[in-house]
mmCIF file of all heavy atoms in Angstrom:
data_model
loop_
_atom_site.group_PDB
_atom_site.id
_atom_site.type_symbol
_atom_site.label_atom_id
_atom_site.label_comp_id
_atom_site.label_asym_id
_atom_site.label_seq_id
_atom_site.Cartn_x
_atom_site.Cartn_y
_atom_site.Cartn_z
ATOM 1 N N LEU A 121 87.249 38.014 51.110
ATOM 2 C CA LEU A 121 88.244 38.311 52.153
ATOM 3 C C LEU A 121 87.953 37.445 53.329
ATOM 4 O O LEU A 121 86.674 37.353 53.726
ATOM 5 C CB LEU A 121 88.369 39.760 52.595
ATOM 6 C CG LEU A 121 89.370 40.153 53.584
ATOM 7 C CD1 LEU A 121 89.969 41.543 53.245
ATOM 8 C CD2 LEU A 121 88.875 40.164 54.989
ATOM 9 N N VAL A 122 88.891 36.820 54.100
ATOM 10 C CA VAL A 122 88.602 35.956 55.188
ATOM 11 C C VAL A 122 89.551 36.549 56.261
ATOM 12 O O VAL A 122 90.713 36.897 56.056
ATOM 13 C CB VAL A 122 88.788 34.495 54.963
ATOM 14 C CG1 VAL A 122 90.249 34.186 54.491
ATOM 15 C CG2 VAL A 122 88.440 33.676 56.149
ATOM 16 N N MET A 123 88.993 36.532 57.484
ATOM 17 C CA MET A 123 89.726 37.111 58.636
ATOM 18 C C MET A 123 89.719 36.259 59.861
ATOM 19 O O MET A 123 88.710 35.675 60.176
ATOM 20 C CB MET A 123 89.063 38.504 58.916
ATOM 21 C CG MET A 123 89.441 39.086 60.317
ATOM 22 S SD MET A 123 91.085 39.723 60.281
ATOM 23 C CE MET A 123 90.946 41.129 61.361
ATOM 24 N N PHE A 124 90.937 36.172 60.519
ATOM 25 C CA PHE A 124 90.948 35.398 61.761
ATOM 26 C C PHE A 124 91.948 36.014 62.764
ATOM 27 O O PHE A 124 93.014 36.422 62.289
ATOM 28 C CB PHE A 124 91.472 33.885 61.559
ATOM 29 C CG PHE A 124 91.285 32.992 62.637
ATOM 30 C CD1 PHE A 124 90.065 32.736 63.234
ATOM 31 C CD2 PHE A 124 92.419 32.364 63.209
ATOM 32 C CE1 PHE A 124 89.917 31.966 64.333
ATOM 33 C CE2 PHE A 124 92.246 31.471 64.256
ATOM 34 C CZ PHE A 124 91.039 31.326 64.807
ATOM 35 N N HIS A 125 91.504 36.251 64.024
ATOM 36 C CA HIS A 125 92.252 37.080 64.948
ATOM 37 C C HIS A 125 92.103 36.328 66.361
ATOM 38 O O HIS A 125 91.059 36.161 66.738
ATOM 39 C CB HIS A 125 91.733 38.457 64.907
ATOM 40 C CG HIS A 125 92.236 39.358 65.970
ATOM 41 N ND1 HIS A 125 91.669 40.531 66.324
ATOM 42 C CD2 HIS A 125 93.340 39.334 66.742
ATOM 43 C CE1 HIS A 125 92.303 41.176 67.270
ATOM 44 N NE2 HIS A 125 93.396 40.423 67.592
ATOM 45 N N TRP A 126 93.253 35.980 66.956
ATOM 46 C CA TRP A 126 93.189 35.330 68.240
ATOM 47 C C TRP A 126 94.351 35.808 69.072
ATOM 48 O O TRP A 126 95.188 36.513 68.642
ATOM 49 C CB TRP A 126 93.259 33.787 67.946
ATOM 50 C CG TRP A 126 94.612 33.353 67.391
ATOM 51 C CD1 TRP A 126 95.614 32.642 68.132
ATOM 52 C CD2 TRP A 126 95.047 33.364 66.039
ATOM 53 N NE1 TRP A 126 96.634 32.342 67.350
ATOM 54 C CE2 TRP A 126 96.350 32.690 66.036
ATOM 55 C CE3 TRP A 126 94.602 33.834 64.852
ATOM 56 C CZ2 TRP A 126 97.195 32.636 64.902
ATOM 57 C CZ3 TRP A 126 95.310 33.763 63.742
ATOM 58 C CH2 TRP A 126 96.550 33.160 63.752
ATOM 59 N N GLY A 127 94.229 35.455 70.425
ATOM 60 C CA GLY A 127 95.193 35.870 71.436
ATOM 61 C C GLY A 127 94.685 35.891 72.801
ATOM 62 O O GLY A 127 93.690 35.255 73.104
ATOM 63 N N ILE A 128 95.436 36.562 73.658
ATOM 64 C CA ILE A 128 95.012 36.724 75.070
ATOM 65 C C ILE A 128 95.123 38.286 75.421
ATOM 66 O O ILE A 128 95.720 39.058 74.717
ATOM 67 C CB ILE A 128 95.844 35.943 76.046
ATOM 68 C CG1 ILE A 128 97.311 36.531 76.064
ATOM 69 C CG2 ILE A 128 95.856 34.413 75.672
ATOM 70 C CD1 ILE A 128 98.184 35.847 77.194
ATOM 71 N N ASN A 129 94.449 38.612 76.552
ATOM 72 C CA ASN A 129 94.540 39.873 77.094
ATOM 73 C C ASN A 129 94.517 39.909 78.618
ATOM 74 O O ASN A 129 94.045 38.914 79.157
ATOM 75 C CB ASN A 129 93.200 40.735 76.752
ATOM 76 C CG ASN A 129 92.910 40.661 75.213
ATOM 77 O OD1 ASN A 129 93.510 41.365 74.459
ATOM 78 N ND2 ASN A 129 91.977 39.735 74.810
ATOM 79 N N ASN A 130 95.185 40.915 79.160
ATOM 80 C CA ASN A 130 95.043 41.149 80.595
ATOM 81 C C ASN A 130 95.503 40.016 81.495
ATOM 82 O O ASN A 130 94.793 39.516 82.359
ATOM 83 C CB ASN A 130 93.540 41.484 80.999
ATOM 84 C CG ASN A 130 93.075 42.698 80.200
ATOM 85 O OD1 ASN A 130 93.935 43.597 79.832
ATOM 86 N ND2 ASN A 130 91.839 42.783 79.901
ATOM 87 N N GLN A 131 96.720 39.569 81.320
ATOM 88 C CA GLN A 131 97.301 38.548 82.227
ATOM 89 C C GLN A 131 98.223 39.229 83.231
ATOM 90 O O GLN A 131 99.120 39.981 82.915
ATOM 91 C CB GLN A 131 98.107 37.451 81.507
ATOM 92 C CG GLN A 131 98.577 36.361 82.388
ATOM 93 C CD GLN A 131 99.406 35.455 81.789
ATOM 94 O OE1 GLN A 131 99.953 35.629 80.660
ATOM 95 N NE2 GLN A 131 99.694 34.293 82.454
ATOM 96 N N THR A 132 97.984 39.036 84.486
ATOM 97 C CA THR A 132 98.791 39.569 85.573
ATOM 98 C C THR A 132 99.407 38.409 86.418
ATOM 99 O O THR A 132 99.128 37.289 86.111
ATOM 100 C CB THR A 132 98.048 40.539 86.520
ATOM 101 O OG1 THR A 132 97.186 39.723 87.413
ATOM 102 C CG2 THR A 132 97.171 41.471 85.809
ATOM 103 N N PHE A 133 100.156 38.773 87.462
ATOM 104 C CA PHE A 133 100.696 37.729 88.305
ATOM 105 C C PHE A 133 99.677 37.066 89.167
ATOM 106 O O PHE A 133 99.946 36.077 89.840
ATOM 107 C CB PHE A 133 101.818 38.331 89.218
ATOM 108 C CG PHE A 133 101.227 39.330 90.267
ATOM 109 C CD1 PHE A 133 101.066 38.833 91.520
ATOM 110 C CD2 PHE A 133 101.141 40.647 89.991
ATOM 111 C CE1 PHE A 133 100.506 39.688 92.568
ATOM 112 C CE2 PHE A 133 100.693 41.513 90.962
ATOM 113 C CZ PHE A 133 100.400 41.077 92.264
ATOM 114 N N ILE A 134 98.483 37.608 89.136
ATOM 115 C CA ILE A 134 97.432 37.059 90.038
ATOM 116 C C ILE A 134 96.145 36.639 89.264
ATOM 117 O O ILE A 134 95.351 35.876 89.785
ATOM 118 C CB ILE A 134 97.100 38.096 91.139
ATOM 119 C CG1 ILE A 134 96.339 37.402 92.311
ATOM 120 C CG2 ILE A 134 96.236 39.219 90.560
ATOM 121 C CD1 ILE A 134 96.064 38.305 93.513
ATOM 122 N N ASN A 135 95.926 37.192 88.076
ATOM 123 C CA ASN A 135 94.702 36.744 87.345
ATOM 124 C C ASN A 135 94.956 36.824 85.882
ATOM 125 O O ASN A 135 95.997 37.234 85.351
ATOM 126 C CB ASN A 135 93.563 37.746 87.713
ATOM 127 C CG ASN A 135 93.911 39.177 87.564
ATOM 128 O OD1 ASN A 135 94.604 39.554 86.691
ATOM 129 N ND2 ASN A 135 93.496 39.989 88.489
ATOM 130 N N GLY A 136 93.905 36.339 85.191
ATOM 131 C CA GLY A 136 93.969 36.355 83.682
ATOM 132 C C GLY A 136 94.227 35.010 83.121
ATOM 133 O O GLY A 136 94.370 34.751 81.899
ATOM 134 N N GLY A 137 94.568 33.972 84.015
ATOM 135 C CA GLY A 137 94.979 32.650 83.506
ATOM 136 C C GLY A 137 93.896 31.613 83.712
ATOM 137 O O GLY A 137 92.687 31.938 83.527
ATOM 138 N N THR A 138 94.295 30.421 84.006
ATOM 139 C CA THR A 138 93.315 29.326 84.092
ATOM 140 C C THR A 138 92.284 29.583 85.096
ATOM 141 O O THR A 138 92.685 29.922 86.337
ATOM 142 C CB THR A 138 94.041 28.007 84.489
ATOM 143 O OG1 THR A 138 95.079 27.788 83.496
ATOM 144 C CG2 THR A 138 93.182 26.835 84.563
ATOM 145 N N PRO A 139 91.010 29.557 84.791
ATOM 146 C CA PRO A 139 89.946 29.786 85.771
ATOM 147 C C PRO A 139 89.785 28.701 86.879
ATOM 148 O O PRO A 139 90.316 27.605 86.640
ATOM 149 C CB PRO A 139 88.687 29.868 84.945
ATOM 150 C CG PRO A 139 88.950 28.965 83.768
ATOM 151 C CD PRO A 139 90.471 29.088 83.539
ATOM 152 N N GLY A 140 89.203 29.079 87.948
ATOM 153 C CA GLY A 140 88.802 28.038 88.965
ATOM 154 C C GLY A 140 89.704 28.095 90.182
ATOM 155 O O GLY A 140 89.441 27.381 91.223
ATOM 156 N N GLY A 141 90.839 28.793 90.142
ATOM 157 C CA GLY A 141 91.709 28.781 91.400
ATOM 158 C C GLY A 141 91.568 29.997 92.238
ATOM 159 O O GLY A 141 90.775 30.945 91.867
ATOM 160 N N THR A 142 92.297 30.021 93.280
ATOM 161 C CA THR A 142 92.373 31.222 94.099
ATOM 162 C C THR A 142 93.827 31.585 94.130
ATOM 163 O O THR A 142 94.675 30.800 93.921
ATOM 164 C CB THR A 142 91.718 31.089 95.482
ATOM 165 O OG1 THR A 142 92.486 29.998 96.145
ATOM 166 C CG2 THR A 142 90.275 30.715 95.366
ATOM 167 N N ALA A 143 94.172 32.882 94.588
ATOM 168 C CA ALA A 143 95.511 33.375 94.614
ATOM 169 C C ALA A 143 96.385 32.390 95.370
ATOM 170 O O ALA A 143 96.149 32.104 96.556
ATOM 171 C CB ALA A 143 95.554 34.722 95.189
ATOM 172 N N GLY A 144 97.429 31.838 94.764
ATOM 173 C CA GLY A 144 98.417 31.014 95.424
ATOM 174 C C GLY A 144 98.070 29.580 95.502
ATOM 175 O O GLY A 144 98.828 28.743 95.974
ATOM 176 N N PHE A 145 96.861 29.219 95.006
ATOM 177 C CA PHE A 145 96.347 27.838 95.136
ATOM 178 C C PHE A 145 95.913 27.271 93.792
ATOM 179 O O PHE A 145 95.946 28.007 92.753
ATOM 180 C CB PHE A 145 95.208 27.735 96.126
ATOM 181 C CG PHE A 145 95.630 28.148 97.451
ATOM 182 C CD1 PHE A 145 95.365 29.478 97.965
ATOM 183 C CD2 PHE A 145 96.127 27.278 98.447
ATOM 184 C CE1 PHE A 145 95.702 29.856 99.205
ATOM 185 C CE2 PHE A 145 96.603 27.777 99.694
ATOM 186 C CZ PHE A 145 96.266 28.967 100.124
ATOM 187 N N GLY A 146 95.621 26.043 93.765
ATOM 188 C CA GLY A 146 95.100 25.450 92.507
ATOM 189 C C GLY A 146 96.231 24.781 91.703
ATOM 190 O O GLY A 146 97.467 25.003 92.024
ATOM 191 N N ALA A 147 95.928 23.996 90.716
ATOM 192 C CA ALA A 147 96.954 23.255 89.995
ATOM 193 C C ALA A 147 97.913 24.231 89.242
ATOM 194 O O ALA A 147 99.084 24.025 89.192
ATOM 195 C CB ALA A 147 96.232 22.365 88.939
ATOM 196 N N ASN A 148 97.401 25.312 88.668
ATOM 197 C CA ASN A 148 98.168 26.310 87.976
ATOM 198 C C ASN A 148 98.214 27.670 88.665
ATOM 199 O O ASN A 148 99.172 28.372 88.518
ATOM 200 C CB ASN A 148 97.751 26.397 86.583
ATOM 201 C CG ASN A 148 97.840 25.141 85.714
ATOM 202 O OD1 ASN A 148 98.827 24.392 85.781
ATOM 203 N ND2 ASN A 148 96.720 24.779 85.054
ATOM 204 N N GLY A 149 97.194 27.995 89.415
ATOM 205 C CA GLY A 149 97.114 29.309 89.913
ATOM 206 C C GLY A 149 96.267 30.189 88.944
ATOM 207 O O GLY A 149 96.378 29.978 87.696
ATOM 208 N N PRO A 150 95.538 31.187 89.457
ATOM 209 C CA PRO A 150 94.672 31.945 88.501
ATOM 210 C C PRO A 150 95.368 32.862 87.609
ATOM 211 O O PRO A 150 94.777 33.471 86.715
ATOM 212 C CB PRO A 150 93.805 32.709 89.547
ATOM 213 C CG PRO A 150 94.629 32.841 90.786
ATOM 214 C CD PRO A 150 95.430 31.530 90.773
ATOM 215 N N GLY A 151 96.650 33.129 87.846
ATOM 216 C CA GLY A 151 97.402 33.984 86.950
ATOM 217 C C GLY A 151 98.168 33.330 85.824
ATOM 218 O O GLY A 151 98.879 33.913 85.007
ATOM 219 N N LYS A 152 98.136 31.883 85.748
ATOM 220 C CA LYS A 152 99.059 31.097 84.931
ATOM 221 C C LYS A 152 98.238 30.486 83.795
ATOM 222 O O LYS A 152 97.119 30.113 83.875
ATOM 223 C CB LYS A 152 99.729 30.059 85.678
ATOM 224 C CG LYS A 152 100.632 30.513 86.903
ATOM 225 C CD LYS A 152 101.265 29.448 87.623
ATOM 226 C CE LYS A 152 101.924 29.896 88.833
ATOM 227 N NZ LYS A 152 102.419 28.657 89.614
ATOM 228 N N LYS A 153 98.976 30.386 82.678
ATOM 229 C CA LYS A 153 98.540 29.526 81.471
ATOM 230 C C LYS A 153 97.247 29.976 80.902
ATOM 231 O O LYS A 153 96.201 29.232 80.923
ATOM 232 C CB LYS A 153 98.501 28.088 81.814
ATOM 233 C CG LYS A 153 99.879 27.469 82.302
ATOM 234 C CD LYS A 153 99.848 26.041 82.589
ATOM 235 C CE LYS A 153 101.309 25.508 82.973
ATOM 236 N NZ LYS A 153 101.302 24.150 83.334
ATOM 237 N N PRO A 154 97.056 31.242 80.563
ATOM 238 C CA PRO A 154 95.765 31.704 79.935
ATOM 239 C C PRO A 154 95.552 30.943 78.689
ATOM 240 O O PRO A 154 96.419 30.545 77.954
ATOM 241 C CB PRO A 154 95.963 33.091 79.741
ATOM 242 C CG PRO A 154 97.537 33.270 79.547
ATOM 243 C CD PRO A 154 98.119 32.255 80.527
ATOM 244 N N GLN A 155 94.336 30.718 78.313
ATOM 245 C CA GLN A 155 93.841 30.100 77.067
ATOM 246 C C GLN A 155 93.623 31.110 75.924
ATOM 247 O O GLN A 155 93.001 32.133 76.211
ATOM 248 C CB GLN A 155 92.624 29.291 77.260
ATOM 249 C CG GLN A 155 92.806 28.144 78.321
ATOM 250 C CD GLN A 155 91.628 27.288 78.432
ATOM 251 O OE1 GLN A 155 90.495 27.647 77.858
ATOM 252 N NE2 GLN A 155 91.678 26.251 79.200
ATOM 253 N N LEU A 156 94.208 30.860 74.801
ATOM 254 C CA LEU A 156 93.977 31.664 73.634
ATOM 255 C C LEU A 156 92.458 31.585 73.263
ATOM 256 O O LEU A 156 91.799 30.567 73.439
ATOM 257 C CB LEU A 156 94.801 31.230 72.410
ATOM 258 C CG LEU A 156 96.304 31.205 72.583
ATOM 259 C CD1 LEU A 156 96.957 30.553 71.391
ATOM 260 C CD2 LEU A 156 96.792 32.668 72.735
ATOM 261 N N PHE A 157 91.896 32.723 72.851
ATOM 262 C CA PHE A 157 90.570 32.780 72.378
ATOM 263 C C PHE A 157 90.438 33.559 71.136
ATOM 264 O O PHE A 157 91.258 34.459 70.789
ATOM 265 C CB PHE A 157 89.556 33.262 73.447
ATOM 266 C CG PHE A 157 89.599 34.646 73.700
ATOM 267 C CD1 PHE A 157 88.854 35.540 73.057
ATOM 268 C CD2 PHE A 157 90.551 35.172 74.675
ATOM 269 C CE1 PHE A 157 88.825 36.928 73.309
ATOM 270 C CE2 PHE A 157 90.590 36.551 74.957
ATOM 271 C CZ PHE A 157 89.754 37.410 74.289
ATOM 272 N N VAL A 158 89.376 33.391 70.368
ATOM 273 C CA VAL A 158 89.130 33.967 69.068
ATOM 274 C C VAL A 158 88.559 35.356 69.291
ATOM 275 O O VAL A 158 87.627 35.573 70.018
ATOM 276 C CB VAL A 158 88.119 33.203 68.223
ATOM 277 C CG1 VAL A 158 87.828 33.925 66.913
ATOM 278 C CG2 VAL A 158 88.712 31.870 67.963
ATOM 279 N N HIS A 159 89.156 36.409 68.719
ATOM 280 C CA HIS A 159 88.671 37.712 68.725
ATOM 281 C C HIS A 159 87.805 37.976 67.434
ATOM 282 O O HIS A 159 86.724 38.514 67.612
ATOM 283 C CB HIS A 159 89.883 38.721 68.756
ATOM 284 C CG HIS A 159 90.663 38.765 69.961
ATOM 285 N ND1 HIS A 159 91.330 37.678 70.516
ATOM 286 C CD2 HIS A 159 90.716 39.763 70.923
ATOM 287 C CE1 HIS A 159 91.875 38.089 71.606
ATOM 288 N NE2 HIS A 159 91.604 39.200 71.975
#
């Protein structure tokens, strides 16, 4: 048996997205465009 599980969790209008920004600033903003990761 082989198993693979991926996705995102906990995205809000202010956090959960691309790291490195602050609220309302940055290229995407900290709540936008989260990256899928392996569970």
